Amino acid sequence: MAMPRLTWRWMLAGASVMILAILGGWFGMTRGKTRITEVSASAQDAEEKPTVEVVSPKTGGIERICTQPGSIEPYEAADLYTKVSGFLIEQHVDIGSRVKEGQVLARISVPEYEKQVAQDTADVARAMAKVDQSRAAITTAEAERGAATAAIAFTVAEKRSKSSYRTFREKQRDRVRNLVDVRSIEAKVLDESEDQLQAAMAADLAAEEAVASAKQKEAAARARVTQAKADLRYAEAEVASAKARLERAKVLLDYTIIRSPYTGVITRRNFHRGDFVRTADAGGDRLPVLSVERTDIMRVVIQVPERDVPFVNAGDPAMVDVDALPGIRFKSDGAEKVEVSCLAASEDPHSRMMRTEVHVKNPHNTLRRGMFGRVTLLLEPAAKDALRIPSAALAGKAEGGKGFVRVVRDSKVYLVPIRYGTDNGSEVEVISGLRSADQIVLRSSGTIKDGTEVTLAQKSPLAGH
C-alpha cells in the first residue's frame, strides 16, 4: 500500500533536522576543544612568567634615630635634715614655695649652743687681752735690755779710765822710788805714792766688777725679752684655741639653721612649728625637715637599648615630647641646645640598656618631676648619596651590612648584591649596589629565580620619591 505524500514530507523534514543537529554538535565540540586549548596555553604562559610588584628607590639616606620613653627628674634634689635635736621654732616656707640658694628655711632652738657661743666669745676676748699684756711685757723687757746694754758701755768706759789712772800711779811710784833711792826726796813721799797706787788699783778693780755686773744685768734683760716673747706666743696660741672653740660652737649653732642648697622649690614638709625634731643620726625613722628640688634645669632620663649604645655620644641632638604638654616640643633653638648631656657609658647587666640624660632648661617651670614623655636622639645623620628601599625588599638573609635585592632589568629578575647602612624596620639605607632608576622587586606571585622573565604589576613608587 502506498504511503501518503504528506507523510513522506514529514519524514524528510525530520531527517534534515537530525542531520543539522549532528553537524551542530560536532561543530560545537570542535570550537570547545579549541577554546580549552587557548585557555590552557594562556595559563601555561602565566605560570612561566610570574607577576611581580616593583618599587623605585628613594634618594637620600636614613637618619639613625633612637626614640625611647623618658621620665623627668630634677637636675638636683636634696632632703634637708637637722644635725641637732631641738624644737622647730621657725619655718618660713611650705610645699610649693620658691626658694633661693642660701635662703633660711627653718631654725631649731638649742639654747645650750647659744650659751656656748657666748662663753667662747668671752674666752677669745680674754685670750686677746693676754696677748696685749705679753706684747707690753716684751716692750718693757726690750727697754730694760737696752738700758743694760748702755750701762755696759758706761762701765767699760769707767774701767778704761780707772786702768789709765792706775797705770799713771804705777809710773809715778816708780819715779818716786828712784828719787828715794838716790836720796833726792824723803821716803815718806814714796809711801804717799804707794797709797795713791793702791787706791787707783782698787778703783780699777771696782770698775771691772761694774762692767761684769752690767753684763749680767744685760743678760738678764735679754732673758726677760725672750720670756716675754714666749709668753706672747703662748697667749697667741690661747687666742687661736679660743677662736677654734668659738668657731666650733658657731658651727654647732649653725646646724640649727636649715638653708636651701640651691634655687628651686620646696616639694616636701614633714614638721610644723613647735615639733621636736631629732637629729639625722639619732636612729629610728629618719624624716627630712624639708625637701627641695632645683627646677631651672631638668633631667630627662631614658634607657638606650644595646643596639644603639655604640652610636650614642654626648652632644648628639635630641628632641623631647612630654605627654602632659601636647604641642610643645623641646629641641635645639639657636644657642639653646637640647642634646645628650651625659651617658652612663655602661649598660645595666639586667636590662642591657644604658642610662642616658638630656638636660632641658625649664625657665617657666612647665616641666615637673615625674612627667613622662618620649625622647628622640639623632645618632647619625643621613648619607646624602645613599638610596632608600623598603626593608621587605631585602632578599634572603642580610647581615654585616651586606645583602641582596631582586632587580627587574629588561623584564627579567636579577639578584643584585648591595651594601646597606641603617635599617629602621620599614626602610633600608642602601650605600652601594643600586641605581636610582632600578626597579626593585617588592612582592611576586610565585617563586622567581635569577634570570626569570616576569610580568610587572602596577608600579608603586615610594612616597616622597
Side-chain angles (χ1 to χ4, degrees), residues 351-405:
S351 65
R352 299 297 178 188
M353 304 182 85
M354 181 179 71
R355 179 186 173 103
T356 304
E357 295 184 5
V358 176
H359 298 169
V360 179
K361 291 187 177 180
N362 188 32
H364 304 297
N365 300 309
T366 53
L367 296 175
R368 308 292 175 87
R369 181 178 195 167
M371 283 184 172
F372 187 81
R374 292 163 306 285
V375 179
T376 301
L377 306 181
L378 176 58
L379 304 181
E380 286 186 342
K384 295 181 179 179
D385 54 350
L387 299 173
R388 300 197 304 279
I389 63 173
S391 299
L394 289 175
K397 186 176 182 181
E399 59 183 4
K402 296 180 180 180
F404 294 88
V405 295

Short mmCIF file of all heavy atoms in Angstrom, two decimals, residues 351-405:
data_model
loop_
_atom_site.label_atom_id
_atom_site.label_comp_id
_atom_site.label_asym_id
_atom_site.label_seq_id
_atom_site.Cartn_x
_atom_site.Cartn_y
_atom_site.Cartn_z
N SER A 351 69.05 44.71 82.30
CA SER A 351 68.21 45.15 81.19
C SER A 351 68.96 45.30 79.88
O SER A 351 68.34 45.44 78.82
CB SER A 351 67.55 46.49 81.55
OG SER A 351 68.54 47.51 81.67
N ARG A 352 70.30 45.30 79.92
CA ARG A 352 71.12 45.53 78.74
C ARG A 352 70.80 46.86 78.08
O ARG A 352 70.77 47.00 76.86
CB ARG A 352 70.94 44.39 77.71
CG ARG A 352 71.35 43.05 78.25
CD ARG A 352 72.81 43.00 78.60
NE ARG A 352 73.20 41.70 79.18
CZ ARG A 352 74.37 41.43 79.70
NH1 ARG A 352 75.29 42.39 79.73
NH2 ARG A 352 74.65 40.26 80.20
N MET A 353 70.55 47.86 78.92
CA MET A 353 70.27 49.21 78.42
C MET A 353 71.16 50.19 79.17
O MET A 353 71.65 49.91 80.27
CB MET A 353 68.79 49.56 78.60
CG MET A 353 67.85 48.56 77.94
SD MET A 353 66.12 49.00 78.10
CE MET A 353 65.91 50.10 76.73
N MET A 354 71.39 51.35 78.56
CA MET A 354 72.30 52.33 79.12
C MET A 354 71.54 53.61 79.49
O MET A 354 70.80 54.15 78.68
CB MET A 354 73.41 52.66 78.12
CG MET A 354 74.43 53.69 78.62
SD MET A 354 75.73 54.01 77.40
CE MET A 354 74.80 54.93 76.17
N ARG A 355 71.76 54.08 80.72
CA ARG A 355 71.13 55.32 81.17
C ARG A 355 71.74 56.50 80.42
O ARG A 355 72.96 56.66 80.36
CB ARG A 355 71.32 55.51 82.68
CG ARG A 355 70.71 56.81 83.21
CD ARG A 355 71.06 57.01 84.67
NE ARG A 355 70.65 58.32 85.16
CZ ARG A 355 69.58 58.53 85.90
NH1 ARG A 355 68.82 57.53 86.27
NH2 ARG A 355 69.28 59.75 86.31
N THR A 356 70.88 57.30 79.86
CA THR A 356 71.29 58.49 79.11
C THR A 356 70.41 59.65 79.55
O THR A 356 69.22 59.48 79.80
CB THR A 356 71.16 58.25 77.60
OG1 THR A 356 71.92 57.09 77.24
CG2 THR A 356 71.66 59.45 76.80
N GLU A 357 71.02 60.83 79.66
CA GLU A 357 70.29 62.00 80.13
C GLU A 357 70.35 63.14 79.12
O GLU A 357 71.38 63.38 78.51
CB GLU A 357 70.85 62.49 81.47
CG GLU A 357 70.67 61.51 82.61
CD GLU A 357 71.16 62.08 83.93
OE1 GLU A 357 71.55 63.27 83.96
OE2 GLU A 357 71.16 61.35 84.94
N VAL A 358 69.22 63.82 78.99
CA VAL A 358 69.12 65.05 78.20
C VAL A 358 68.69 66.15 79.17
O VAL A 358 67.64 66.03 79.80
CB VAL A 358 68.10 64.90 77.06
CG1 VAL A 358 67.95 66.23 76.32
CG2 VAL A 358 68.53 63.80 76.10
N HIS A 359 69.52 67.17 79.31
CA HIS A 359 69.21 68.26 80.23
C HIS A 359 68.46 69.36 79.47
O HIS A 359 68.93 69.85 78.44
CB HIS A 359 70.49 68.83 80.84
CG HIS A 359 71.23 67.81 81.66
ND1 HIS A 359 72.51 68.01 82.14
CD2 HIS A 359 70.85 66.58 82.10
CE1 HIS A 359 72.89 66.95 82.83
NE2 HIS A 359 71.90 66.07 82.81
N VAL A 360 67.30 69.73 80.00
CA VAL A 360 66.43 70.70 79.34
C VAL A 360 66.21 71.88 80.28
O VAL A 360 65.86 71.69 81.45
CB VAL A 360 65.08 70.07 78.97
CG1 VAL A 360 64.18 71.09 78.29
CG2 VAL A 360 65.29 68.86 78.07
N LYS A 361 66.44 73.08 79.78
CA LYS A 361 66.19 74.27 80.59
C LYS A 361 64.69 74.43 80.81
O LYS A 361 63.88 74.15 79.91
CB LYS A 361 66.77 75.51 79.92
CG LYS A 361 68.30 75.53 79.90
CD LYS A 361 68.85 76.83 79.38
CE LYS A 361 70.37 76.85 79.46
NZ LYS A 361 70.95 78.12 78.96
N ASN A 362 64.35 74.90 82.00
CA ASN A 362 62.94 74.95 82.41
C ASN A 362 62.63 76.32 83.03
O ASN A 362 62.26 76.42 84.20
CB ASN A 362 62.68 73.82 83.42
CG ASN A 362 61.22 73.67 83.77
OD1 ASN A 362 60.35 73.91 82.94
ND2 ASN A 362 60.95 73.27 84.99
N PRO A 363 62.80 77.40 82.26
CA PRO A 363 62.65 78.74 82.85
C PRO A 363 61.22 79.05 83.30
O PRO A 363 61.02 79.87 84.20
CB PRO A 363 63.08 79.67 81.71
CG PRO A 363 62.82 78.89 80.45
CD PRO A 363 63.11 77.47 80.82
N HIS A 364 60.23 78.41 82.69
CA HIS A 364 58.83 78.69 83.03
C HIS A 364 58.22 77.61 83.94
O HIS A 364 57.00 77.62 84.17
CB HIS A 364 58.00 78.82 81.75
CG HIS A 364 58.54 79.86 80.80
ND1 HIS A 364 58.60 81.20 81.12
CD2 HIS A 364 59.06 79.72 79.55
CE1 HIS A 364 59.12 81.86 80.09
NE2 HIS A 364 59.41 81.00 79.13
N ASN A 365 59.07 76.69 84.40
CA ASN A 365 58.62 75.65 85.34
C ASN A 365 57.47 74.81 84.79
O ASN A 365 56.58 74.38 85.52
CB ASN A 365 58.20 76.27 86.68
CG ASN A 365 59.34 77.03 87.35
OD1 ASN A 365 60.43 76.48 87.51
ND2 ASN A 365 59.08 78.27 87.71
N THR A 366 57.51 74.59 83.47
CA THR A 366 56.47 73.75 82.87
C THR A 366 56.77 72.27 83.07
O THR A 366 55.85 71.45 83.11
CB THR A 366 56.35 74.05 81.38
OG1 THR A 366 57.65 73.93 80.77
CG2 THR A 366 55.82 75.45 81.14
N LEU A 367 58.04 71.94 83.18
CA LEU A 367 58.42 70.55 83.41
C LEU A 367 58.41 70.25 84.90
O LEU A 367 58.95 71.03 85.70
CB LEU A 367 59.80 70.26 82.82
CG LEU A 367 59.93 70.40 81.30
CD1 LEU A 367 61.37 70.21 80.87
CD2 LEU A 367 59.03 69.40 80.59
N ARG A 368 57.80 69.16 85.28
CA ARG A 368 57.72 68.76 86.69
C ARG A 368 58.27 67.34 86.86
O ARG A 368 58.21 66.52 85.94
CB ARG A 368 56.27 68.81 87.17
CG ARG A 368 55.56 70.14 86.91
CD ARG A 368 56.14 71.27 87.74
NE ARG A 368 55.56 72.55 87.42
CZ ARG A 368 54.44 73.03 87.96
NH1 ARG A 368 53.77 72.30 88.84
NH2 ARG A 368 53.99 74.22 87.63
N ARG A 369 58.77 67.11 88.04
CA ARG A 369 59.29 65.79 88.34
C ARG A 369 58.20 64.72 88.17
O ARG A 369 57.06 64.90 88.60
CB ARG A 369 59.81 65.75 89.77
CG ARG A 369 60.42 64.41 90.17
CD ARG A 369 60.96 64.48 91.57
NE ARG A 369 61.83 63.37 91.87
CZ ARG A 369 62.63 63.30 92.92
NH1 ARG A 369 62.66 64.29 93.78
NH2 ARG A 369 63.39 62.24 93.11
N GLY A 370 58.56 63.61 87.54
CA GLY A 370 57.63 62.51 87.36
C GLY A 370 56.88 62.52 86.04
O GLY A 370 56.22 61.54 85.70
N MET A 371 56.96 63.63 85.28
CA MET A 371 56.31 63.64 83.97
C MET A 371 56.93 62.59 83.06
O MET A 371 58.08 62.19 83.24
CB MET A 371 56.42 65.03 83.34
CG MET A 371 55.47 66.06 83.92
SD MET A 371 55.60 67.63 83.03
CE MET A 371 54.23 68.54 83.77
N PHE A 372 56.15 62.18 82.08
CA PHE A 372 56.55 61.10 81.18
C PHE A 372 56.45 61.58 79.74
O PHE A 372 55.56 62.36 79.41
CB PHE A 372 55.66 59.88 81.40
CG PHE A 372 56.10 58.66 80.66
CD1 PHE A 372 57.11 57.85 81.14
CD2 PHE A 372 55.49 58.31 79.45
CE1 PHE A 372 57.51 56.72 80.46
CE2 PHE A 372 55.89 57.19 78.76
CZ PHE A 372 56.90 56.39 79.27
N GLY A 373 57.37 61.12 78.92
CA GLY A 373 57.32 61.52 77.51
C GLY A 373 58.21 60.65 76.67
O GLY A 373 58.56 59.52 77.04
N ARG A 374 58.59 61.16 75.50
CA ARG A 374 59.45 60.44 74.57
C ARG A 374 60.61 61.32 74.17
O ARG A 374 60.46 62.52 73.96
CB ARG A 374 58.66 60.01 73.32
CG ARG A 374 57.61 58.96 73.58
CD ARG A 374 56.62 58.86 72.46
NE ARG A 374 56.00 60.15 72.15
CZ ARG A 374 55.07 60.72 72.90
NH1 ARG A 374 54.64 60.12 73.99
NH2 ARG A 374 54.56 61.88 72.56
N VAL A 375 61.75 60.68 74.03
CA VAL A 375 62.97 61.37 73.63
C VAL A 375 63.47 60.73 72.34
O VAL A 375 63.60 59.50 72.26
CB VAL A 375 64.06 61.29 74.72
CG1 VAL A 375 65.33 61.99 74.26
CG2 VAL A 375 63.55 61.90 76.02
N THR A 376 63.74 61.57 71.36
CA THR A 376 64.27 61.10 70.08
C THR A 376 65.70 61.61 69.96
O THR A 376 65.94 62.82 70.00
CB THR A 376 63.43 61.59 68.90
OG1 THR A 376 62.08 61.11 69.05
CG2 THR A 376 64.00 61.09 67.59
N LEU A 377 66.64 60.68 69.80
CA LEU A 377 68.05 61.03 69.63
C LEU A 377 68.45 60.84 68.18
O LEU A 377 68.13 59.81 67.57
CB LEU A 377 68.94 60.14 70.52
CG LEU A 377 68.62 60.08 72.01
CD1 LEU A 377 69.62 59.17 72.71
CD2 LEU A 377 68.65 61.46 72.63
N LEU A 378 69.12 61.83 67.62
CA LEU A 378 69.69 61.70 66.28
C LEU A 378 71.12 61.19 66.44
O LEU A 378 72.02 61.93 66.82
CB LEU A 378 69.68 63.04 65.54
CG LEU A 378 70.35 63.06 64.15
CD1 LEU A 378 69.68 62.04 63.24
CD2 LEU A 378 70.29 64.45 63.55
N LEU A 379 71.30 59.89 66.17
CA LEU A 379 72.59 59.26 66.41
C LEU A 379 73.55 59.43 65.24
O LEU A 379 74.75 59.60 65.44
CB LEU A 379 72.39 57.78 66.72
CG LEU A 379 71.43 57.47 67.89
CD1 LEU A 379 71.33 55.98 68.09
CD2 LEU A 379 71.89 58.18 69.15
N GLU A 380 73.01 59.35 64.02
CA GLU A 380 73.85 59.52 62.83
C GLU A 380 73.03 60.23 61.75
O GLU A 380 71.87 59.87 61.53
CB GLU A 380 74.33 58.17 62.28
CG GLU A 380 75.41 57.51 63.12
CD GLU A 380 75.95 56.26 62.46
OE1 GLU A 380 75.28 55.73 61.55
OE2 GLU A 380 77.03 55.81 62.85
N PRO A 381 73.60 61.21 61.07
CA PRO A 381 72.85 61.89 60.01
C PRO A 381 72.71 60.99 58.79
O PRO A 381 73.45 60.02 58.61
CB PRO A 381 73.72 63.13 59.70
CG PRO A 381 75.10 62.71 60.11
CD PRO A 381 74.94 61.78 61.27
N ALA A 382 71.75 61.32 57.93
CA ALA A 382 71.53 60.54 56.71
C ALA A 382 72.64 60.80 55.70
O ALA A 382 73.13 61.92 55.57
CB ALA A 382 70.18 60.90 56.11
N ALA A 383 73.04 59.75 54.99
CA ALA A 383 74.04 59.90 53.93
C ALA A 383 73.37 60.51 52.70
O ALA A 383 72.35 60.00 52.21
CB ALA A 383 74.65 58.55 53.59
N LYS A 384 73.93 61.59 52.19
CA LYS A 384 73.30 62.32 51.08
C LYS A 384 73.29 61.51 49.79
O LYS A 384 72.38 61.63 48.97
CB LYS A 384 74.00 63.65 50.87
CG LYS A 384 73.85 64.60 52.04
CD LYS A 384 74.55 65.92 51.76
CE LYS A 384 74.38 66.89 52.94
NZ LYS A 384 75.06 68.17 52.70
N ASP A 385 74.32 60.69 49.55
CA ASP A 385 74.43 59.96 48.27
C ASP A 385 73.88 58.54 48.36
O ASP A 385 74.16 57.71 47.50
CB ASP A 385 75.90 59.91 47.83
CG ASP A 385 76.80 59.33 48.91
OD1 ASP A 385 76.32 59.14 50.04
OD2 ASP A 385 77.99 59.08 48.63
N ALA A 386 73.12 58.23 49.38
CA ALA A 386 72.55 56.89 49.54
C ALA A 386 71.13 56.85 48.96
O ALA A 386 70.54 57.86 48.60
CB ALA A 386 72.54 56.48 51.01
N LEU A 387 70.59 55.61 48.86
CA LEU A 387 69.22 55.39 48.41
C LEU A 387 68.46 54.67 49.51
O LEU A 387 69.06 54.06 50.40
CB LEU A 387 69.21 54.56 47.12
CG LEU A 387 69.92 55.18 45.91
CD1 LEU A 387 69.96 54.17 44.77
CD2 LEU A 387 69.22 56.47 45.45
N ARG A 388 67.12 54.70 49.41
CA ARG A 388 66.30 54.02 50.41
C ARG A 388 65.31 53.09 49.71
O ARG A 388 64.69 53.47 48.70
CB ARG A 388 65.52 55.02 51.27
CG ARG A 388 66.41 55.97 52.02
CD ARG A 388 65.67 56.66 53.16
NE ARG A 388 64.47 57.37 52.77
CZ ARG A 388 64.45 58.59 52.24
NH1 ARG A 388 65.59 59.22 52.03
NH2 ARG A 388 63.30 59.16 51.96
N ILE A 389 65.18 51.90 50.25
CA ILE A 389 64.22 50.93 49.74
C ILE A 389 63.48 50.34 50.92
O ILE A 389 63.95 50.41 52.06
CB ILE A 389 64.92 49.81 48.93
CG1 ILE A 389 65.88 49.01 49.85
CG2 ILE A 389 65.66 50.37 47.73
CD1 ILE A 389 66.47 47.80 49.19
N PRO A 390 62.30 49.73 50.68
CA PRO A 390 61.59 49.09 51.80
C PRO A 390 62.40 47.93 52.37
O PRO A 390 63.11 47.22 51.64
CB PRO A 390 60.29 48.60 51.16
CG PRO A 390 60.12 49.42 49.93
CD PRO A 390 61.50 49.71 49.44
N SER A 391 62.31 47.72 53.66
CA SER A 391 63.03 46.62 54.30
C SER A 391 62.57 45.28 53.74
O SER A 391 63.34 44.33 53.65
CB SER A 391 62.81 46.66 55.81
OG SER A 391 63.31 47.85 56.35
N ALA A 392 61.28 45.21 53.32
CA ALA A 392 60.74 43.95 52.79
C ALA A 392 61.37 43.58 51.46
O ALA A 392 61.23 42.43 51.00
CB ALA A 392 59.23 44.06 52.64
N ALA A 393 62.08 44.52 50.80
CA ALA A 393 62.68 44.23 49.51
C ALA A 393 63.98 43.45 49.63
O ALA A 393 64.48 42.93 48.63
CB ALA A 393 62.92 45.52 48.75
N LEU A 394 64.55 43.34 50.83
CA LEU A 394 65.77 42.56 51.01
C LEU A 394 65.47 41.09 50.76
O LEU A 394 64.48 40.55 51.27
CB LEU A 394 66.34 42.76 52.41
CG LEU A 394 66.95 44.12 52.71
CD1 LEU A 394 67.36 44.21 54.17
CD2 LEU A 394 68.17 44.37 51.82
N ALA A 395 66.33 40.43 50.00
CA ALA A 395 66.14 39.02 49.66
C ALA A 395 67.07 38.17 50.50
O ALA A 395 68.28 38.44 50.59
CB ALA A 395 66.40 38.79 48.18
N GLY A 396 66.52 37.13 51.12
CA GLY A 396 67.35 36.22 51.89
C GLY A 396 67.83 36.85 53.19
O GLY A 396 67.24 37.80 53.72
N LYS A 397 68.93 36.33 53.70
CA LYS A 397 69.47 36.78 54.97
C LYS A 397 70.44 37.92 54.74
O LYS A 397 71.37 37.81 53.94
CB LYS A 397 70.17 35.62 55.68
CG LYS A 397 70.63 35.95 57.09
CD LYS A 397 71.23 34.73 57.75
CE LYS A 397 71.66 35.04 59.18
NZ LYS A 397 72.27 33.84 59.84
N ALA A 398 70.22 39.02 55.44
CA ALA A 398 71.09 40.19 55.32
C ALA A 398 71.72 40.47 56.68
O ALA A 398 71.03 40.62 57.68
CB ALA A 398 70.30 41.40 54.85
N GLU A 399 73.04 40.54 56.72
CA GLU A 399 73.73 40.82 57.96
C GLU A 399 75.11 41.37 57.64
O GLU A 399 75.62 41.20 56.53
CB GLU A 399 73.85 39.56 58.83
CG GLU A 399 74.59 38.42 58.16
CD GLU A 399 74.62 37.18 59.02
OE1 GLU A 399 73.99 37.20 60.08
OE2 GLU A 399 75.27 36.19 58.61
N GLY A 400 75.69 42.02 58.64
CA GLY A 400 77.02 42.58 58.45
C GLY A 400 77.07 43.70 57.43
O GLY A 400 78.12 43.98 56.86
N GLY A 401 75.92 44.36 57.19
CA GLY A 401 75.90 45.45 56.22
C GLY A 401 75.87 45.00 54.78
O GLY A 401 76.01 45.81 53.87
N LYS A 402 75.68 43.67 54.54
CA LYS A 402 75.64 43.16 53.17
C LYS A 402 74.34 42.38 52.97
O LYS A 402 73.86 41.71 53.89
CB LYS A 402 76.83 42.25 52.90
CG LYS A 402 78.17 42.96 52.97
CD LYS A 402 79.32 42.01 52.68
CE LYS A 402 80.66 42.74 52.75
NZ LYS A 402 81.80 41.81 52.48
N GLY A 403 73.78 42.49 51.78
CA GLY A 403 72.54 41.79 51.48
C GLY A 403 72.31 41.73 49.98
O GLY A 403 73.18 42.09 49.17
N PHE A 404 71.11 41.28 49.58
CA PHE A 404 70.74 41.15 48.17
C PHE A 404 69.33 41.69 47.96
O PHE A 404 68.49 41.63 48.86
CB PHE A 404 70.79 39.68 47.73
CG PHE A 404 72.16 39.09 47.74
CD1 PHE A 404 72.65 38.50 48.91
CD2 PHE A 404 72.97 39.14 46.62
CE1 PHE A 404 73.92 37.95 48.93
CE2 PHE A 404 74.24 38.59 46.64
CZ PHE A 404 74.72 37.99 47.80
N VAL A 405 69.10 42.22 46.77
CA VAL A 405 67.77 42.61 46.34
C VAL A 405 67.55 42.08 44.93
O VAL A 405 68.51 41.80 44.18
CB VAL A 405 67.57 44.15 46.37
CG1 VAL A 405 67.65 44.68 47.77
CG2 VAL A 405 68.59 44.84 45.46
#
